[in-house]
Every structure is written in structure tokens, then in C-alpha cells.
Amino acid sequence: MKKILLVLSVCLFALESSAQTQRLILVEEFTNASCGPCALSNPAFDALMTSNATKVVPVRYHTSFPGYDPFYSQNPLQNQARTIYYQVTAVPTARMDGAGVFLQDVNQTSIDAEYNVAPDYSINLNYHLSSDNDSVYATATFKAINTVTGTLKAHIMMVEKMITFTTPPGSNGETSFPMVMKKMLPSETGTTLPSTMYPGDSVVVNVGWLISNVFNLNQLALIAFVQDNATKNIKQAGYAPVPSTVTVTPPTISQNAIVSPMCVNDGLVNINVSGGTPPYTYAWSNGATSEDISGLAAGTYTVTVTGGGASATSIFTVQQLVLQQPVITPTTNRTACSITMNWNPVTGAANYKVQYKLQNSSIWSPELPVGNVTSFNFQGLESGTFYDFSVSAFCGNGNNSGYISTNDSTGQCEMVSSSAVTINSSTSATISWAASCYTIGYRIIYRVAGTSSWNSSFVFTESKIMNNLSPNTTYEYRLRNRCGNAPNVTDWTPLASFTTPAMRIESELENQSVSKFSVYPNPTSSIVNISGSFNEKVNEAEVRIMNELGAVVYSEKIPLEFGTFDTPFNLPTTLSNGLYFINVSSDNENKMSKLMLER
């Protein structure tokens, strides 16, 4: 559907004009197709209007009362507006140049008197139909002849000069209806003129109308008038009974500017329109009706510009701009299992995503969103291995720069950097250390200081509990970790040591979870029997006799039968009287009991 716009221009200059300078009277009648008195009065009133055709421009507004009226129904808003404007409460009534009340107030005497009043304006009118006859385009020039002040309004309206029915549309029997108001342009409130206009000042009003409710296009006519809203006095009227013959030139469309979007839909198309017949209407393919359009995504946009019934069409392409790729800077924080990739920020980017892969592989990891930071630390990598790392900038709408890559290798398997020893008891200690990246396990060896025999264990955690140690003894240990299959292991850590404390046997019995066994006779002078049991799968145990300081004064390994033992011992004659402790151990199980020696 076409949209018709108003163009108002004010020209303050004095020129001679071919416009009507003789007084032309506007007579406004209020009537109704179901009004009996109207049907009786209108024939004589119509004859009066016809006989004064050179002096009077008549127009009829159809009211909502006293009954049905098709012309009121077609334009109730504007018919009602003029009815209220003049405070009309009964029909038929009439106003001549805004004055009077009754229909009979308009007569030959009053017409002649009003016709002799010098006009304050000249009004020049012309209008034409669009090429497809669906719209009217009109131009009215209101030019001041004298100095005029007031609350001035310029009114333009289309009328249908005669509408004839075969049967009456209302209840009063009328079938012919002259000078029916069809549309007030641009609206029923008119166009505001300057409060003071001097001789030669002129105002040009361009209007258009998408034709509706017209019975016969050949009966259209244009009326215009200037009215002072404060006094309701009409200064001058104008009349154009037939459309002008014009050759309508389509407007010319040229490109002013195109801005393409990148990260958000912020593209725009600005155009310049010239030539043709203003005012212009705009119909874009995206539904916009403004001259320029903005907030655009990439795509093709078509605009049709219409002026005076002639149209021109142009097509504009808004392209999608691509984000620049990030510029990768050297990698940092390189370890055996991690590498940090760094890049410069990209203008317009809302966030970034990264990927990585083994250098000799074609399969990339899933995209990893990293937000709007400009670095990312890849972790959990294999040591001593080459990788490709890539990054892409992303817009908020999903457009992206595409990935750009760099490569680097992780460091070799890293040796354990530090360890600590926790003494659990005089016979137990725990060695712990910080985890090394990409380590699959650790080898720990330890020995009594000064000896050559190492104990060895492989663990998957970062600690090792060593039991069955000797009290008051210095031990040495070293570590190394494995990062994969041989030879991907580290060197041994430097030799470290710790010393178990002297055993306080009473404290040991209280603090350790050890079980007792039978010792008899107790006290004894030389021979002692010990009996007890372990898990039935254990076939050997070690017996150690210790003094109160935890020093081992005697030791011997004994066989077990289904994990049980019942063994006599001859105590060494070198032992002096006093309190001793007997410890029997197998695997990680200890049994301990007191023994009193009395010779």
C-alpha cells in the first residue's frame, strides 16, 4: 500500500501570480440522507448554488443524525470533526465563509454582499491522479494579498461533485448528492499558517491521498480555503474542478553511503533522492519506510521511491565484514605438560576460542571458549611432544575471523623438585613430594645410611609410607618419576636423609596399633617362650628384643606354620636385669609385649 506524505514550504517573497484574486465564497452545508427537511430544502438550495457557480464553492458534510447516511459512514471522523467545529446540532444548516446558522441565511443577498468583500488571499490549486489511478497528488499555494494576522489554518479537501443512486440510500428519498466531502488533507485540523503573513508571503502545501470510497473518479474536485480558527472567518476559497494534465517524472535514486556490518547488525544504507515530484515515499524490502535504513545484517536491500505517482527502484548490497585474525605472540610458561599461547586483542571481538592437536595429527580438539582474554594455558599435555595451537576471534553474533595457528613443544619429563619426611614413629616414616606434571608414577629407593642395599618401591601417588624401620637410625632415599615408557624417566633426585627417633617403647605401645601375644614365663631368668599368630598365609616373622631406649639387643627370624608361632628363646647371658620389649613382625603387622628379666 502506498503511503502519502505532506510537504509544507513557506516562501516569503512577493511575486505576481495567476491565482484567483477575486473573492470566492465557501458555503458549507450540513445534511443527512435520512433527513426529511433536508430533502425538502436541498432542491432550492442546489439551484442557488448553481446560479452562483462563479461566486460560490459549496461543500456538503453528512452528519450522523437523524438517521443512516452512507457518506457519514465512509468518513465519520472528519464529518464529525466539522460538525463539532461549528457546533451543529440540527440539519439542514449552513455556514457561509464560516458564519450563519440556518440554511436560509445563505441567500442571494448574503452571497452578493460577501462576494464584494475584498479577499486577503489568492489560492492557486492543481492536482493529478497517479498513473494507476489509485492516488491523488495535489498542490495548493496560499498567497497573502494583504497583511493578515490570526490563528490561520489552510484546509484542503477532495470532494465528489455528484453521486447518484438508483434507489435512495437513506430514508428521505434523495438519490442525488452534490459536492460530497470525501477527504480533508492532510487531516481535518488543516495546516498551520504563519500567525502573520505580509503581502506576497506564500505557503505551498503538497498533499496526497490513497483514494477510497469514491464512486466516480471523473467526479473528483479539489477545494481549499483559509480560515481563522479564533473567529471561524474564512478569508478566501479556491476550487479546481478537474485534475491537471501532467507528465510525472520518476525520482532519481543515488547511493550516499553504505556501511557493512562486522560483529553486530549495524550496517546501514543512506541514499539521496532528487527529481520527480515530491513528496517521496519509501518502500524497502525489509519493510522500512524511511529514506535511509540502519541496523542491517549483511544482505541485499531493495528500495522503491515514489513521488507524484511515479516510482524508481534501486538495489543495494550490504556485505559482511570479516574480523581480523588475532596476531599470535610467542608462547610462554612452557613446562613438561603445559604451554601458554598468547595473542593480541582484535578490535570488535566479543570472545575467543582455541584448539590444539598433536603436530603429526589431523584431528583438532573441540573448540574451547576462553572468554575475552588474550592468553590461554593448555594443560595435561604430554612431555617432550610437539603440538599445534590455534585461536580464532568471535563476534557476539557468531561471525569469526577463522583460526590462526602456532606450534611449540612441551619440555622433557621434569624431576621431582622437593620432598619432605614425616616421622610417624620410631619405626615408621612417610616421604611425600610435590606432583610433577604428566607423571604416571614414581620410583622411591631407601636404605640405612652407610649400607649398599636399597629397598625399592613404585607408587602412583605422591607419598610413600615406610614401615619396619629401625629406631634411632639414619636412612637415605632418592626419587625419580616416569612420564611414559622408557627412557622417558627423570634422573634420580639428590640423596636425602632422615633419622628415626630412639624408641620410647612405652609410648610405642600406647600410640601404635599393635597386638600383643603370649610371653612366658614372665619375669624370667634365662628362657622365654613366645606364642601367637598372623594371617595363615604368612610363613616367616622376625623377632627382635629391644631395651627401653628401643635399641635392638637380639634378633632372629622364625618360621611360621599357617601363620602361628610357639617358640622358646635362650636369652643372651650378656643381658642385664631390667625391662625389655619383644617385637614380632611380619609384612606390615606388628606384635609387641613386655618382658622382665631377673637373674
Side-chain angles (χ1 to χ4, degrees):
M1 178 180 289
K2 296 180 181 177
K3 294 185 178 179
I4 308 301
L5 303 179
L6 163 71
V7 175
L8 170 65
S9 59
V10 180
C11 308
L12 302 179
F13 54 90
L15 290 174
E16 291 299 322
S17 172
S18 61
Q20 173 70 41
T21 56
Q22 175 59 51
R23 185 73 176 191
L24 196 56
I25 303 167
L26 181 69
V27 174
E28 301 169 275
E29 182 192 1
F30 294 85
T31 186
N32 180 272
S34 295
C35 163
C38 299
L40 295 174
S41 302
N42 281 337
F45 188 78
D46 293 341
L48 179 65
M49 295 297 100
T50 301
S51 63
N52 289 279
T54 60
K55 300 177 180 180
V56 174
V57 177
V59 60
R60 286 181 169 86
Y61 309 108
H62 286 253
T63 64
S64 61
F65 52 85
Y68 172 75
D69 188 295
F71 311 115
Y72 172 81
S73 299
Q74 291 172 354
N75 191 352
L77 175 65
Q78 294 185 339
N79 279 299
Q80 184 73 4
R82 291 302 283 182
T83 301
I84 294 173
Y85 181 78
Y86 284 119
Q87 299 181 353
V88 173
T89 58
V91 290
T93 60
R95 301 291 186 273
M96 184 171 66
D97 279 346
V101 175
F102 302 108
L103 196 65
Q104 56 267 31
D105 290 338
V106 181
N107 51 55
Q108 191 61 54
T109 300
S110 62
I111 290 174
D112 290 341
E114 186 70 11
Y115 184 71
N116 290 325
V117 175
D120 289 324
Y121 286 90
S122 67
I123 299 176
N124 191 11
L125 298 176
N126 64 76
Y127 73 99
H128 68 274
L129 300 179
S130 62
S131 59
D132 54 3
N133 291 330
D134 75 339
S135 300
V136 171
Y137 298 91
T139 299
T141 303
F142 302 88
K143 182 178 179 181
I145 298 173
N146 306 309
T147 299
V148 187
T149 61
T151 308
L152 303 172
K153 290 281 189 174
H155 290 278
I156 302 172
M157 67 175 70
M158 298 300 302
V159 298
E160 198 163 351
K161 292 179 287 188
M162 181 59 72
I163 301 173
T164 303
F165 289 86
T166 57
T167 58
S171 61
N172 69 356
E174 286 184 300
T175 57
S176 296
F177 302 90
M179 301 303 286
V180 177
M181 188 275 292
K182 305 302 291 186
K183 188 70 174 179
M184 299 187 74
L185 301 170
S187 70
E188 64 279 0
T189 59
T191 301
T192 301
L193 298 178
S195 58
T196 299
M197 293 184 69
Y198 299 98
D201 292 352
S202 64
V203 174
V204 178
V205 181
N206 293 311
V207 293
W209 176 42
L210 184 62
I211 297 172
S212 63
N213 298 316
V214 171
F215 293 87
N216 187 344
L217 291 177
N218 294 323
Q219 290 296 315
L220 285 177
L222 184 68
I223 295 174
F225 58 95
V226 177
Q227 186 167 32
D228 188 334
N229 264 356
T231 63
K232 292 186 171 52
N233 175 246
I234 293 176
K235 306 295 185 180
Q236 176 67 309
Y239 180 57
V242 295
S244 56
T245 302
V246 296
T247 301
V248 182
T249 303
T252 299
I253 305 170
S254 60
Q255 176 182 315
N256 182 29
I258 292 181
V259 175
S260 297
M262 184 169 63
C263 279
V264 295
N265 293 339
D266 57 358
L268 60 87
V269 176
N270 286 351
I271 62 173
N272 292 323
V273 180
S274 59
T277 304
Y280 306 120
T281 62
Y282 306 89
W284 288 89
S285 54
N286 67 344
T289 57
S290 55
E291 179 178 358
D292 304 318
I293 53 176
S294 59
L296 305 179
T300 299
Y301 298 86
T302 302
V303 63
T304 298
V305 180
T306 302
S311 300
T313 299
S314 290
I315 300 174
F316 301 94
T317 299
V318 176
Q319 296 181 339
Q320 178 69 56
L321 297 180
V322 179
L323 273 177
Q324 290 185 345
Q325 287 185 322
V327 176
I328 297 178
T329 56
T331 56
T332 56
N333 301 326
R334 181 173 172 271
T335 71
C337 59
S338 66
I339 292 177
T340 297
M341 180 172 62
N342 307 285
W343 59 89
N344 291 329
V346 174
T347 301
N351 54 75
Y352 302 89
K353 294 181 181 179
V354 297
Q355 292 178 311
Y356 72 100
K357 70 177 181 68
L358 292 169
Q359 195 172 66
N360 58 359
S361 172
S362 61
I363 301 175
W364 289 91
S365 71
E367 292 181 323
L368 303 173
V370 299
N372 59 0
V373 299
T374 55
S375 66
F376 183 76
N377 182 252
F378 293 90
Q379 298 182 356
L381 307 178
E382 297 182 23
S383 62
T385 304
F386 277 92
Y387 286 89
D388 291 328
F389 306 99
S390 64
V391 60
S392 176
F394 279 78
C395 295
N397 63 1
N399 295 328
N400 63 86
S401 65
Y403 282 92
I404 184 171
S405 301
T406 188
N407 60 75
D408 201 352
S409 66
T410 53
Q412 296 299 318
C413 188
E414 295 177 350
M415 185 169 59
V416 172
S417 59
S418 62
S419 63
V421 177
T422 301
I423 302 297
N424 304 322
S425 69
S426 58
T427 60
S428 176
T430 300
I431 301 177
S432 58
W433 54 92
S436 297
C437 66
Y438 200 73
T439 294
I440 63 174
Y442 305 88
R443 175 72 64 181
I444 180 170
I445 57 175
Y446 64 97
R447 67 183 178 184
V448 175
T451 66
S452 60
S453 178
W454 292 96
N455 294 294
S456 177
S457 296
F458 189 83
V459 296
F460 297 96
T461 60
E462 285 73 46
S463 66
K464 166 64 178 173
I465 300 175
M466 294 174 293
N467 292 315
N468 300 322
L469 303 178
S470 296
N472 198 25
T473 303
T474 299
Y475 286 86
E476 299 172 326
Y477 70 92
R478 352 183 52 167
L479 293 162
R480 73 178 180 185
N481 49 298
R482 181 181 297 277
C483 297
N485 296 326
N488 202 2
V489 294
T490 67
D491 292 332
W492 291 103
T493 60
L495 193 64
S497 65
F498 65 92
T499 301
T500 57
M503 180 180 289
R504 301 297 298 178
I505 299 300
E506 294 288 349
S507 297
E508 292 294 317
L509 284 174
E510 293 174 359
N511 296 330
Q512 291 192 25
S513 297
V514 295
S515 58
K516 295 184 179 181
F517 56 96
S518 297
V519 177
Y520 59 93
N522 191 7
T524 184
S525 60
S526 60
I527 297 176
V528 63
N529 290 282
I530 60 174
S531 64
S533 64
F534 293 99
N535 185 292
E536 65 177 9
K537 295 182 179 180
V538 177
N539 54 27
E540 185 181 67
E542 182 177 9
V543 178
R544 293 184 295 175
I545 299 176
M546 296 168 286
N547 62 23
E548 287 184 276
L549 296 177
V552 178
V553 296
Y554 177 81
S555 66
E556 180 181 339
K557 290 186 181 295
I558 61 172
L560 305 180
E561 185 175 359
F562 299 107
T564 63
F565 59 92
D566 188 0
T567 306
F569 284 93
N570 284 315
L571 298 175
T573 57
T574 56
L575 297 182
S576 58
N577 292 343
L579 179 64
Y580 292 86
F581 296 88
I582 300 178
N583 173 263
V584 182
S585 63
S586 177
D587 289 342
N588 291 327
E589 189 174 356
N590 285 301
K591 297 180 183 295
M592 186 172 288
S593 186
K594 295 179 182 180
L595 172 64
M596 182 62 70
L597 180 59
E598 295 178 353
R599 294 186 183 271

